[in-house]
Amino acid sequence: MIPFVRRSDGVHLAMSPGERDVLTSLTEQLQQVLAGDVSADPVATRMFPDAYPGDAAASSEFGRLTRPDLLTQKTTNASVVHDWSTGVRDGALTPEDVQAWLRCLTDLRLTIAERLGITDAASEEASAADRSDRAVGLRDVYDWIGYVQEHLVDTISVP
């Protein structure tokens, strides 16, 4: 389970077909969330945090000015990762691809963290101890995405 490998021409995706399938499904779900009414989804507060918690007018104006561009970028990032996971794209990742991967993996972790109720270190620890059927599978995916993200950072950091 090595998600990325460095070759002479750069970093390549090395996930197994099963891992690619999981990532494909996750990016499709993220795209659905982003295409829907994001403001009605609790994940919106994680992906688009309030810039001015004490000033409703400034927060609203900031959101009006930044949210459309952020939404477009998040959707584009998910599409880039989806293309790689489905084999539409192949070869060495470009620097732009790497950034899209890192940002998309962050968005996936934020989305899953919201679904698991992870908001801080204590709730993350409690989530790890929750052995219910729903939590176990989702928590495993959350941990796996963290591993993939860490491995990509490690892979791009090695010359």
Side-chain angles (χ1 to χ4, degrees), residues 1-2 4 9 14 19 23-24 39 51 53 55 65 72 85 96 99 101 108-109 111 122 140 154-155:
M1 184 168 95
I2 297 175
F4 301 96
D9 63 338
E19 291 170 322
L23 194 56
T24 297
S39 62
D55 187 339
L65 295 172
T72 298
S85 67
E96 294 79 16
Q99 289 303 310
W101 270 88
L108 288 169
R109 280 182 54 89
T111 301
D140 289 344
D154 289 346
T155 304

Side-chain angles (χ1 to χ4, degrees), residues 62-142:
F62 183 81
R64 185 183 68 76
L65 295 172
T66 62
R67 188 173 283 206
D69 288 340
L70 284 172
L71 190 57
T72 298
Q73 189 59 55
K74 289 176 182 300
T75 302
T76 299
N77 293 337
S79 294
V80 167
V81 173
H82 186 269
D83 286 352
W84 280 97
S85 67
T86 57
V88 171
R89 306 254 329 257
D90 196 19
L93 277 70
T94 66
E96 294 79 16
D97 292 332
V98 169
Q99 289 303 310
W101 270 88
L102 292 171
R103 291 177 179 143
C104 180
L105 292 169
T106 296
D107 288 341
L108 288 169
R109 280 182 54 89
L110 286 172
T111 301
I112 294 171
E114 178 61 35
R115 304 297 189 241
L116 289 170
I118 297 173
T119 57
D120 56 21
S123 58
E124 184 170 16
E125 189 173 311
S127 170
D130 184 355
R131 302 318 299 171
S132 66
D133 289 343
R134 182 190 78 75
V136 168
L138 197 53
R139 178 58 198 233
D140 289 344
V141 171
Y142 175 81

Side-chain angles (χ1 to χ4, degrees), residues 15 19-27 81 85 101 108 144:
M15 288 182 180
E19 291 170 322
R20 286 175 179 246
D21 289 345
V22 169
L23 194 56
T24 297
S25 176
L26 291 171
T27 55
V81 173
S85 67
W101 270 88
L108 288 169
W144 176 72

